[in-house]
Amino acid sequence: MLLYDKLQKMKNHEIWQEYCGFFDLSVEEFMQIQDRLMLEQIDLYSKCELGQRFFKGRKPESVEEFRRIVPLTNYRDYADILLSKVESALPAKPLLWIETTWEGGINPIKVAPYTESMIECLRNNCMAVVILATSNKRGHFSLTGKEKMLYGMAPLPYLTGITAHLIADELPIKFLPSLDEAEKMGFRERNKVGFKLGMQKGVDLFFGLSSVINKVAGEFGTASSSGGSLNILKTTPVMTYRLGKAWIKSKQRKTPIMPKDIWKLKGLVCSGTDSASLKKKIEHQWGVRPLEIFAGTEPTCIATETWKKNGLVLFPDACLYEFIPKIELEKNLDNPNYTPKTYLLDELLAGNEYELVISNFKGGAFVRYRTGDMLECLAMCDEEEGVQLPLFSFIDREPRFIDIAGFTRISETTISEALELSKLNVTDWFAVKEYDEHNRSFIHLYVEAGAKDVKSVVTKEIIKEHLSIYFRYIDPDFQNLKSLLGIDPLEISIMPTGTLERYYKTFGSRIRRMNPSHFDVIEILKFMRSGNKEEVS
Amino acid sequence: MLLSQAFFWMVPIVALFSYCMLMLFFSMSQKDKHIKLFMSVLGALIIWTASSLLMKMEVYPGGLFWNRMMVAGMVFVTFSLYIFVVNFAGAFQLSKAIQWSFLAAVALTINFMGLAITKVEVVKNEIMINGYQYLAVDFHYTLGPLALPMYLLMFTMVTAILVIAKKHSDEQGNSKEGQIRLVAIGALIMAIGVFLNFIPAVGKYPVDILGCFINAILITIAIFKNRMLELRFMATRAIIYSILALMITTGYVMVVINAEKYWGAQASATPFLTIFLALLIAIVFQPLYRLSGSMVDRFFYKTDYARRQALRDFSVSISNNLDLDIIAKNLVEAVQYALHPKDVLIMLKDKNKENYSVFATSSQLFKPDFQIQAENPIVKWFMNNDAGLSRSEMHSQNLFKAMWEKERKEISDLNVDVIIPIKSRYSLIGMLMLTRKKDNTAYMLDDLDLLTYLGTSSAVAIDNARLFAQAQSEAITDSLTQVYNHRYFHKALAEQVESLGSAELSLLMIDLDLFKLFNDLYGQYEGDKALIEVAAIIKGIVGANGIVCRYSGEEFAVLLPNHDTHRAYQVAEKIRIEIQKRFFNMNDVTQRFLTASVGVCTYPHVASNALELLKRADLAIYVAKNNGKNQTVVYTPSVESDNDSQHLGSSKIVEKSANAATIYALTAAIDAKDHYTFGHSQRVADYVTIMASGVGLDKSHISMIRDAALLHDVGKIGIPENILTKTGILCDEERDIVNRHVEMSITIIKHLPSLNYVIPAVLAHHERWDGKGYPRGLAGENIPLSGRCLAIADAFDAMTSNRPYRLSLNVGIALNEIEKGRGKQFDPLLANLFIRMVRDGTIDVERIMNMSRYSEASNMRAYY
């Protein structure tokens, strides 16, 4: 039975139990589900080539043994099989291949197989998200299934594309624009048409990257107040009334029109790296507290906030979750040969940051896969709301990657390739993710140039221009940051020649190239200041 | 009475009575949302009809008041019927309901403000028909200014009801079996009645009331006949029976009154009348009452009737039954009769207590190979829940998130809709699985209650049956090997001989060779394990072709019906070879060794009855033993004659002489390799033979120990000569090689099945009482007695003999050494015995030494 039929025929508490009942689980029950589903996955995995690769010819009898035998993996461990889509090497036949960007350059994309069971699980979890988006109290929600939803997501073969289809399968939700149309449009056009239709017909739900939601709201005043593209005859009387009311409100408030002046959204779903920093702003702009979810191509949709929207709770049936504490991660960053320890959900400590490691259930391809996502365990439970499971907040990508607005992931390889292609005389560098005054993230690249290229502003600009061109070449998403979100994602600082060498001589170790610790950067800045001040830009 | 008059009065009276009765039924029934809504429709109908009746009767406060009440009733009826229909059709929308409530409120306000009807006049005319005078009552209404809008409003509401009912009636198709169609027809008839009321010629009769009445009847029929609302009556049966009794009593009273009217004048007829009436009651009314009761049950309580019947039949059938198959069959039948599922499966816990397998199904053609593992969330669910589990719960409950895709698919492929636990003493012994009902309707709460009851009652019966079957099985099963026991063997043998008539029946008697020694050597536990393995081998080979029994300690019997001698021999050989393979070809010398001797006899060729068959198979096995063991002997008359001639004693002699020759050959080989060892073995054999007599062992045991002593160092054949004759101290490596002679001895001896009885002693002669010996590190009495004796004699002779690396010790010193070794190297009791026997001359060391020297001189001596 589809969710829409259930909404017609079943009581709300029954629907809640089916989709959101997992909030009632104790940690012990959660772990029992994880344990049993992992045994199923081990069984499937042991019979395929990938399994033989990681199990080393020995089928683990328990999850403990599985964690002991199987090493931590990354995409490179699967690339030969997955990029060639060798289905016979997988634990189960995939129904879909979902795609996402990888490193750019010679590795532009990575793909992940989705089996029928994984999609069913994703379907249920997506429905839970839609229900929770319209909920602000346990067991209560206002979803009717006939809402109008802004299509702010990337289409298939991206993960968000399949979620849109799953929602459309289950509910007669009206997408603005329709799925067929949206999938033929580019990102910019899709958003433009969506908002135009939203203005005419009203909007009840919106799902998008936090950075996009924020950007849209920022530009909203201009778009709506110009009224250029809005045909008053095509709007419903209710929307005409709302537009008028919004205009009066904005005049009274002496601010541009905000989305909340026009629409009374039932639910707003957001995700992406900058969610934590943008959520409050989004709530202010849209008048509804956004529900953050956590999803990725390899793990699928694996966490949602509760009705209180105060922390992510993991779905029990999507993946087995392991966590690398930050301290272990640091050791691993300093020494790539070090194998960091992992811990299970019931072994975490509130207040600590962890890198997430997942093993797919239901015939998925990834085992002990390092997602590179950093989560903070906010609390081990929410006693007030009766949730016995840990609550998380998505912090960022792990330091080896710089994720800008959820659009692009810059790795050391990407920067090295760009520098190499640019033929600039950059002898050494390191990169840090930083935020501007609007809480928008950017890459701050500190470079040491060769002797002949130093000491001029022109040189810095040239470096920036060169690198931007090559970043765009290597990573197409880099280009979208500027054009879609208005973010200038690259900032260059030139260090005096020999700064990093001085650092090495002083501290006895090389600085990490990607996201070195805050204190290491401070030390570098001190060296830079103590050197030729004119050299520092 | 005029027909029109009767219609005028009777329609509202009958309708009102029926509404009240229905209201009573429903109020005493279990109610769901639909029933509650239908009750509100009934309530409105009661107001409408009662007001109409009271208006006709001109009851205070008068026609106008009752007319307004009647109109209010009409508004209520249309509104509540609208709510009922939209709810039932699943098309309820709050906003629309609020709109209709508002309009209904407007209509009521118009009505009570007197803006619809302003005046009601009652016009009475006396008319004469067929000489009878009747009073005709007519009503004349004066309409108010808002009468027309109000009627239009009601018209709209009734039309809306019809549209919704029609729309959903078409949409539902067959799934609700036209349940809503009856409601739609009822609503249409009611609408026609209401609108006919506006035509003066017809409106003077209560056609509206009639329309409503027919509507109510149709809804009620829909309820009862189509089980639309799945009513579960609690107390209404009593009411129905009371009404039935009342109707029959009324009939009876009418008969009596009319009879008295007719015959009452004749006083003489009174006694006859009394008798007649009594008979009438007895003959007609009582059966009529019963028949009516039964029909009421079948019609009104069709489902309940089936349930009660099923329960009663099931209870009776299981109460005295201990046959699991019959109980399962009855349970399936009861479920099928009561609930009409498409398929029923009974899953019972396997004997190994791990999984649940299909035990019985509703169809002989449908027995899926399907199991539910003990870790399945369904099993875990029933650990904490006693009630049934529906398919929807499997989707919604958290526990089932842990279900494997394979498990989910299996349940889905079987179309299982409901699973009921069969629990006994808090333990889940089985499950009852039902697929969807034949009419595709869902299982209701009451169905689940009934199933739970059936599950619970069958649990006790199934448990008892299983215990009984287990007890029965245990009575005829050997608890160790899980094959049939001795008692069952005799029963089966007699039965087989009787049932086979002239057909062939072969009996294999399988006896494990030297099993007592095996037990001595490896202990009881290993012995038991070996028996279990042997039983498994035999069962595996015989399969369903025969009956395997443990006849005695190490003896198995196999009955092979319809097997001639040749086939039986083949089976016997297969068993014998498999046992030999499993137990005799181990690379590790400390591994177990076992062989079997098999005797075969076939009825009726060489045995005329069961006793003869058994005796002759036994005789065949005896011959097999005497011929060197590890062989199969088929009984023929010649076997018996040969055996007669050999007899027991002579056969032993034959065996002994065969062994003697082997021992002779082996000792000759030792002598050729190492002359010292040859003499040493002879002396040790002499010492130990005397010592064993002192221990009180029987002759055969003494003989076995002697043979063991002669062969205990046979493994030295494999040790390089330079080590054997080395004069200096042995290095570690050399010592290891020397120590391996025990294993080498066993390696040699184990290839001589007829000599394998010496293995325990040979293997143990370097074990120490304190457990520090080799090769197995046995301690205390775990070392076979023969081994312990041998260890003392071996050590004594080694000390009292000249060796290349030292001269011999004198007897006294050697005895002191043995004394020192008591409780450490040697069994203290045996050591004491040996010392005493040497000291008191029972063991004449000098003589034995001389004998040995003489023997050496003559190079060889005969043993037997």
Side-chain angles (χ1 to χ4, degrees):
Chain A
M1 200 193 292
L2 302 174
L3 175 57
Y4 183 66
D5 296 329
K6 290 173 189 166
L7 287 167
Q8 304 303 307
K9 291 177 183 167
M10 287 164 68
K11 296 186 176 87
N12 272 10
H13 73 84
E14 291 170 339
I15 296 170
W16 181 271
Q17 171 62 37
E18 182 166 343
Y19 292 97
C20 306
F22 70 96
F23 286 119
D24 300 335
L25 288 170
S26 65
V27 175
E28 193 188 355
E29 289 164 339
F30 187 98
M31 294 312 296
Q32 280 170 2
I33 293 172
Q34 292 256 295
D35 200 68
R36 190 152 200 278
L37 290 179
M38 195 61 226
L39 290 177
E40 178 188 33
Q41 178 68 3
I42 290 171
D43 188 50
L44 294 171
Y45 218 76
S46 63
K47 296 169 188 160
C48 73
E49 190 186 326
L50 265 182
Q52 282 148 18
R53 177 178 294 186
F54 296 122
F55 289 174
K56 295 166 194 134
R58 181 177 161 197
K59 182 183 172 186
E61 295 294 320
S62 65
V63 176
E64 288 77 16
E65 195 183 349
F66 163 79
R67 291 174 63 209
R68 218 169 36 242
I69 292 174
V70 178
L72 292 169
T73 61
N74 59 43
Y75 199 79
R76 282 180 202 287
D77 297 317
Y78 307 84
D80 57 334
I81 286 175
L82 297 189
L83 291 177
S84 324
K85 298 188 179 173
V86 186
E87 294 188 357
S88 58
L90 303 175
K93 189 176 167 53
L95 203 65
L96 270 178
W97 288 86
I98 299 295
E99 189 179 307
T100 190
T101 50
W102 189 10
E103 294 177 330
I106 53 164
N107 295 318
I109 59 151
K110 50 184 176 179
V111 292
Y114 277 44
T115 64
E116 193 178 350
S117 315
M118 286 170 77
I119 292 171
E120 275 316 299
C121 179
L122 179 64
R123 180 194 298 276
N124 270 359
N125 294 342
C126 284
M127 294 310 112
V129 167
V130 178
I131 289 169
L132 286 162
T134 66
S135 167
N136 53 18
K137 192 178 171 189
R138 192 187 204 117
H140 293 254
F141 57 91
S142 57
L143 183 75
T144 63
K146 288 183 174 171
E147 284 79 3
K148 297 176 196 80
M149 186 171 188
L150 267 184
Y151 192 118
M153 301 164 270
L156 276 170
Y158 294 101
L159 175 63
T160 47
I162 188 179
T163 57
H165 277 278
L166 292 175
I167 294 170
D169 282 353
E170 291 280 316
L171 297 165
I173 276 182
K174 191 167 187 175
F175 285 95
L176 307 174
S178 70
L179 283 185
D180 288 345
E181 287 170 344
E183 289 184 343
K184 290 173 197 152
M185 295 173 182
F187 185 84
R188 177 177 280 277
E189 189 189 3
R190 196 163 53 236
N191 278 323
K192 200 172 159 187
V193 174
F195 273 85
K196 192 173 168 187
L197 289 169
M199 283 290 194
Q200 291 166 1
K201 299 178 178 177
V203 176
D204 301 304
L205 296 168
F206 185 22
F207 171 32
L209 286 172
S210 298
S211 53
V212 174
I213 298 173
N214 178 47
K215 168 70 181 167
V216 163
E219 289 186 350
F220 201 81
T222 336
S224 59
S225 57
S226 69
S229 59
L230 194 65
N231 186 343
I232 197 82
L233 294 174
K234 286 185 184 172
T235 60
T236 61
V238 177
M239 288 310 294
T240 312
Y241 164 74
R242 277 190 189 164
L243 276 170
K245 206 168 79 173
W247 185 78
I248 294 166
K249 273 186 184 174
S250 73
K251 289 294 165 199
Q252 283 173 343
R253 212 171 44 218
K254 292 180 182 165
T255 58
I257 293 179
M258 291 187 196
K260 67 179 175 185
D261 300 326
I262 306 281
W263 300 311
K264 194 171 182 330
L265 257 66
K266 278 187 177 180
L268 179 57
V269 182
C270 71
S271 68
T273 39
D274 300 326
S275 298
S277 57
L278 295 172
K279 268 165 78 179
K280 274 205 168 170
K281 198 170 169 188
I282 292 171
E283 186 179 359
H284 171 69
Q285 293 161 337
W286 292 80
V288 57
R289 197 172 167 81
L291 178 90
E292 188 185 346
I293 61 165
F294 181 72
T297 303
E298 298 91 333
T300 78
C301 180
I302 54 170
T304 175
E305 287 191 310
T306 67
W307 51 95
K308 285 282 276 187
K309 291 146 185 145
N310 60 348
L312 293 160
V313 175
L314 292 159
F315 290 113
D317 51 354
C319 296
L320 175 82
Y321 310 108
E322 292 177 75
F323 300 85
I324 300 174
K326 197 174 179 186
I327 191 165
E328 288 287 311
L329 175 64
E330 297 279 353
K331 282 186 202 170
N332 180 226
L333 290 173
D334 293 341
N335 173 16
N337 293 325
Y338 176 76
T339 305
K341 294 189 191 81
T342 64
Y343 296 88
L344 294 175
L345 189 90
D346 55 350
E347 299 168 329
L348 304 185
L349 261 182
N352 283 16
E353 288 178 22
Y354 301 91
E355 184 194 343
L356 181 66
V357 175
I358 56 106
S359 300
N360 289 140
F361 291 152
K362 301 172 192 294
F366 301 99
V367 283
R368 307 205 74 214
Y369 180 82
R370 292 179 73 165
T371 59
D373 295 313
M374 296 299 294
L375 300 177
E376 183 187 351
C377 178
L378 299 173
M380 288 310 287
C381 64
D382 183 351
E383 275 186 21
E384 199 180 320
E385 294 298 324
V387 177
Q388 301 300 311
L389 301 173
L391 273 73
F392 295 92
S393 161
F394 177 41
I395 304 290
D396 204 342
R397 305 284 304 169
E398 58 113 321
R400 283 176 300 176
F401 298 94
I402 294 176
D403 185 320
I404 306 294
F407 267 70
T408 183
R409 262 163 250 142
I410 306 289
S411 66
E412 186 176 342
T413 318
T414 321
I415 298 175
S416 296
E417 272 186 40
L419 286 168
E420 200 179 319
L421 285 170
S422 72
K423 307 284 184 205
L424 289 166
N425 186 21
V426 172
T427 51
D428 210 346
W429 60 272
F430 69 89
V432 185
K433 181 178 177 180
E434 291 179 3
Y435 292 86
D436 66 11
E437 67 275 16
H438 301 296
N439 257 340
R440 296 180 304 195
S441 50
F442 64 91
I443 306 167
H444 195 156
L445 188 65
Y446 292 78
V447 296
E448 262 189 43
K452 65 175 183 181
D453 288 334
V454 297
K455 301 179 186 174
S456 84
V457 175
V458 177
T459 308
K460 176 189 161 187
E461 291 307 322
I462 288 170
I463 291 173
K464 182 171 176 176
E465 197 183 327
H466 269 68
L467 287 182
S468 294
I469 289 167
Y470 290 110
F471 272 137
R472 283 201 289 274
Y473 169 68
I474 291 166
D475 185 353
D477 289 328
F478 193 86
Q479 194 172 356
N480 289 334
L481 288 169
K482 182 89 177 174
S483 60
L484 301 179
L485 302 182
I487 295 174
D488 189 357
L490 186 62
E491 177 73 36
I492 305 284
S493 287
I494 300 174
M495 297 177 285
T497 307
T499 307
L500 294 181
E501 193 57 28
R502 278 178 68 194
Y503 175 90
Y504 175 63
K505 280 180 183 162
T506 311
F507 297 103
S509 63
R510 300 274 174 203
I511 190 161
R512 203 162 67 216
R513 277 198 157 162
M514 297 299 288
N515 280 319
S517 83
H518 170 72
F519 299 105
D520 288 342
V521 177
I522 296 282
E523 293 302 330
I524 293 285
L525 289 173
K526 282 181 192 167
F527 285 135
M528 287 163 71
R529 279 195 292 271
S530 66
N532 185 351
K533 283 195 176 180
E534 288 172 11
E535 285 176 327
V536 180
S537 306
Chain B
M1 189 187 277
L2 262 178
L3 187 63
S4 61
Q5 286 298 304
F7 189 67
F8 187 88
W9 289 105
M10 288 308 286
V11 168
I13 290 171
V14 171
L16 187 62
F17 176 75
S18 306
Y19 294 152
C20 291
M21 290 313 295
L22 279 175
M23 194 69 155
L24 196 62
F25 289 166
F26 287 124
S27 64
M28 298 181 78
S29 303
Q30 285 181 357
K31 292 177 270 293
D32 64 6
K33 188 170 77 174
H34 298 310
I35 293 179
K36 284 177 186 166
L37 289 173
F38 184 58
M39 284 174 72
S40 69
V41 176
L42 278 176
L45 283 168
I46 287 170
I47 295 173
W48 181 351
T49 316
S51 305
S52 167
L53 199 60
L54 292 169
M55 186 175 78
K56 288 180 175 72
M57 291 164 72
E58 297 176 71
V59 174
Y60 180 82
L64 185 60
F65 172 79
W66 290 117
N67 176 272
R68 285 178 182 165
M69 286 300 290
M70 188 179 80
V71 173
M74 289 163 78
V75 174
F76 277 135
V77 166
T78 41
F79 177 69
S80 54
L81 194 60
Y82 168 79
I83 298 290
F84 173 79
V85 171
V86 290
N87 261 290
F88 188 74
F92 180 80
Q93 282 181 302
L94 186 62
S95 56
K96 288 196 175 162
I98 292 170
Q99 282 173 21
W100 285 113
S101 317
F102 175 72
L103 293 174
V106 169
L108 285 175
T109 314
I110 292 170
N111 176 41
F112 282 113
M113 285 177 73
L115 300 171
I117 305 284
T118 53
K119 195 176 172 188
V120 175
E121 283 179 78
V122 183
V123 180
K124 295 178 182 171
N125 294 315
E126 287 195 352
I127 50 171
M128 292 286 289
I129 293 174
N130 294 338
Y132 289 97
Q133 189 174 348
Y134 292 103
L135 185 68
V137 182
D138 282 332
F139 294 94
H140 288 179
Y141 304 104
T142 308
L143 300 180
L146 293 180
L148 190 61
M150 201 189 84
Y151 282 123
L152 276 175
L153 187 68
M154 287 186 59
F155 175 77
T156 314
M157 284 175 80
V158 171
T159 313
I161 295 169
L162 288 174
V163 169
I164 291 165
K166 174 75 175 60
K167 185 178 163 210
H168 287 275
S169 167
D170 294 343
E171 277 178 7
Q172 300 290 350
N174 291 329
S175 66
K176 285 197 172 183
E177 295 185 359
Q179 293 161 358
I180 206 162
R181 197 163 289 141
L182 275 172
V183 180
I185 294 167
L188 180 66
I189 290 171
M190 188 192 84
I192 292 168
V194 169
F195 295 118
L196 280 177
N197 211 24
F198 292 106
I199 303 165
V202 189
K204 62 183 180 182
Y205 301 112
V207 282
D208 51 344
I209 305 279
L210 183 66
C212 290
F213 181 57
I214 293 170
N215 180 27
I217 295 289
L218 285 177
I219 294 178
T220 313
I221 288 172
I223 290 168
F224 287 121
K225 197 169 179 183
N226 294 326
R227 314 298 302 165
M228 183 172 78
L229 299 178
E230 277 296 332
L231 292 176
R232 294 275 76 87
F233 291 101
M234 302 292 284
T236 44
R237 184 173 283 107
I239 296 167
I240 287 190
Y241 278 118
S242 305
I243 293 167
L244 201 61
L246 189 71
M247 285 167 67
I248 291 173
T249 310
T250 311
Y252 166 71
V253 169
M254 284 174 70
V255 169
V256 170
I257 290 168
N258 283 318
E260 276 197 343
K261 261 188 195 170
Y262 188 74
W263 283 305
Q266 302 168 27
S268 59
T270 307
F272 296 107
L273 183 64
T274 311
I275 293 165
F276 170 73
L277 290 175
L279 281 172
L280 190 70
I281 291 165
I283 294 167
V284 180
F285 286 97
Q286 194 60 24
L288 186 65
Y289 178 75
R290 281 191 189 163
L291 180 68
S292 313
S294 166
M295 284 175 67
V296 163
D297 267 4
R298 281 170 186 271
F299 182 71
F300 286 97
Y301 306 103
K302 196 161 62 184
T303 315
D304 273 359
Y305 182 78
R307 282 157 197 262
R308 277 187 285 125
Q309 198 70 31
L311 271 180
R312 194 172 56 221
D313 292 350
F314 181 64
S315 302
V316 170
S317 69
I318 63 164
S319 58
N320 290 316
N321 211 320
L322 286 170
D323 186 324
L324 198 53
D325 291 314
I326 293 174
I327 292 169
K329 184 170 162 273
N330 289 339
L331 177 58
V332 169
E333 282 173 0
V335 172
Q336 278 189 307
Y337 184 65
L339 298 170
H340 310 294
K342 283 178 186 162
D343 290 303
V344 184
L345 285 97
I346 294 179
M347 313 276 301
L348 290 184
K349 201 172 197 175
D350 295 340
K351 277 182 187 169
N352 59 18
K353 308 276 182 194
E354 287 295 325
N355 304 328
Y356 296 80
S357 307
V358 177
F359 183 79
T361 65
S362 49
S363 159
Q364 288 188 335
L365 302 173
F366 172 68
K367 194 168 183 187
D369 183 19
F370 165 61
Q371 276 204 335
I372 291 184
Q373 311 289 325
E375 301 81 29
N376 191 308
I378 295 172
V379 177
K380 295 202 168 159
W381 170 267
F382 286 130
M383 299 285 182
N384 303 315
N385 292 280
D386 295 331
L389 173 67
S390 66
R391 187 195 283 243
S392 61
E393 279 175 310
M394 269 187 259
H395 282 109
S396 63
Q397 295 298 323
N398 283 325
L399 185 67
F400 297 98
K401 284 189 188 295
M403 216 161 171
W404 289 14
E405 205 48 43
K406 191 179 72 178
E407 296 165 343
R408 212 178 280 280
K409 193 170 177 306
E410 281 170 344
I411 294 284
S412 168
D413 288 350
L414 286 171
N415 276 321
V416 172
D417 233 26
V418 176
I419 306 176
I420 303 296
I422 301 176
K423 286 173 98 171
S424 175
R425 291 186 285 258
Y426 306 108
S427 162
L428 185 70
I429 59 167
M431 281 171 258
L432 188 60
M433 291 188 167
L434 281 76
T435 58
R436 209 153 180 71
K437 284 185 183 178
K438 283 177 183 162
D439 60 4
N440 274 327
T441 53
Y443 290 95
M444 310 300 286
L445 278 177
D446 283 357
D447 297 336
L448 296 181
D449 284 347
L450 173 77
L451 287 168
T452 307
Y453 176 80
L454 285 172
T456 313
S457 28
S458 60
V460 179
I462 288 171
D463 213 19
N464 286 342
R466 282 205 146 181
L467 286 173
F468 179 70
Q470 192 184 339
Q472 265 190 328
S473 165
E474 278 170 6
I476 57 170
T477 306
D478 177 58
S479 60
L480 178 70
T481 56
Q482 297 302 311
V483 295
Y484 291 114
N485 60 14
H486 183 270
R487 182 197 303 178
Y488 184 77
F489 167 73
H490 283 290
K491 186 170 171 259
L493 177 62
E495 279 173 5
Q496 289 293 332
V497 168
E498 195 181 323
S499 67
L500 285 169
S502 59
E504 288 153 326
L505 169 70
S506 288
L507 171 63
L508 316 184
M509 296 300 286
I510 304 162
D511 192 84
L512 298 180
D513 300 327
L514 299 166
F515 186 73
K516 187 174 178 305
L517 283 175
F518 186 92
N519 258 348
D520 283 349
L521 186 56
Y522 301 110
Q524 192 76 30
Y525 176 71
E526 287 296 323
D528 286 351
K529 265 175 67 180
L531 285 173
I532 293 168
E533 271 188 66
V534 168
I537 290 170
I538 300 172
K539 270 200 288 187
I541 291 170
V542 173
N545 297 321
I547 300 164
V548 181
C549 310
R550 186 175 173 198
Y551 188 71
S552 65
E554 70 268 27
E555 197 170 5
F556 293 87
V558 180
L559 286 166
L560 294 169
N562 301 311
H563 276 58
D564 58 21
T565 308
H566 179 66
R567 281 178 68 200
Y569 176 78
Q570 283 177 331
V571 174
E573 274 298 276
K574 244 184 182 176
I575 292 170
R576 186 186 66 78
I577 292 165
E578 188 58 36
I579 292 171
Q580 180 180 304
K581 265 195 216 164
R582 189 78 64 90
F583 292 98
F584 202 71
N585 284 340
M586 304 290 180
N587 293 327
D588 183 356
V589 291
T590 58
Q591 289 290 333
R592 299 159 294 169
F593 62 95
L594 261 186
T595 53
S597 300
V598 189
V600 181
C601 185
T602 304
Y603 166 91
H605 305 305
V606 288
S608 59
N609 56 45
L611 190 63
E612 237 173 53
L613 183 66
L614 179 59
K615 275 174 76 175
R616 290 180 174 176
D618 216 26
L619 191 62
I621 202 173
Y622 189 72
V623 172
K625 292 269 180 196
N626 281 342
N627 288 349
K629 307 183 181 74
N630 193 23
Q631 58 189 272
T632 300
V633 171
V634 175
Y635 175 84
T636 57
S638 63
V639 165
E640 189 158 16
S641 56
D642 287 355
N643 186 61
D644 284 346
S645 64
Q646 281 180 7
H647 216 276
L648 182 66
S650 55
S651 83
K652 270 191 174 174
I653 289 165
V654 170
E655 187 185 346
K656 284 224 168 190
S657 53
N659 289 347
T662 312
I663 293 167
Y664 178 89
L666 286 170
T667 49
I670 300 169
D671 189 32
K673 171 94 180 190
D674 176 23
H675 190 64
Y676 159 74
T677 303
F678 172 68
H680 165 72
S681 298
Q682 284 181 57
R683 291 190 294 278
V684 170
D686 289 341
Y687 294 138
V688 86
T689 305
I690 301 166
M691 189 181 168
S693 313
V695 173
L697 297 179
D698 60 33
K699 276 185 180 172
S700 64
H701 208 156
I702 294 168
S703 167
M704 183 276 287
I705 291 180
R706 180 176 180 80
D707 291 349
L710 286 169
L711 295 173
H712 76 280
D713 277 345
V714 72
K716 285 186 178 169
I717 290 173
I719 297 174
E721 214 162 312
N722 61 329
I723 298 176
L724 282 177
T725 55
K726 187 175 177 180
T727 51
I729 295 170
L730 296 177
C731 68
D732 287 349
E733 198 182 337
E734 289 165 338
R735 183 153 294 286
D736 281 348
I737 293 171
V738 171
N739 287 352
R740 279 213 294 277
H741 80 274
V742 178
E743 294 168 15
M744 289 178 194
S745 300
I746 302 301
T747 309
I748 294 164
I749 298 167
K750 79 172 186 180
H751 289 292
L752 301 163
S754 61
L755 277 177
N756 55 19
Y757 59 91
V758 303
I759 288 177
V762 173
L763 191 58
H765 81 275
H766 277 295
E767 300 290 354
R768 287 170 57 105
W769 183 256
D770 57 9
K772 292 176 182 169
Y774 66 92
R776 294 194 292 160
L778 297 177
E781 291 188 350
N782 285 335
I783 307 166
L785 178 66
S786 51
R788 282 177 270 154
C789 292
L790 208 51
I792 295 167
D794 184 40
F796 178 77
D797 186 68
M799 287 186 280
T800 53
S801 304
N802 283 326
R803 304 296 294 126
Y805 47 88
R806 63 155 171 75
L807 291 172
S808 62
L809 302 176
N810 73 39
V811 173
I813 295 170
L815 289 179
N816 286 343
E817 287 300 315
I818 288 179
E819 201 165 14
K820 278 187 210 165
R822 285 181 306 181
K824 293 174 189 164
Q825 187 174 352
F826 309 115
D827 178 342
L829 292 177
L830 290 177
N832 286 340
L833 174 71
F834 183 81
I835 293 164
R836 197 181 68 235
M837 288 177 98
V838 173
R839 284 185 179 150
D840 67 14
T842 312
I843 294 174
D844 187 346
V845 177
E846 199 175 339
R847 188 184 66 84
I848 291 170
M849 303 274 272
N850 289 337
M851 286 275 288
S852 170
R853 277 186 215 112
Y854 167 75
S855 177
E856 283 168 29
S858 60
N859 203 15
M860 187 57 68
R861 98 189 208 207
Y863 303 102
Y864 294 94

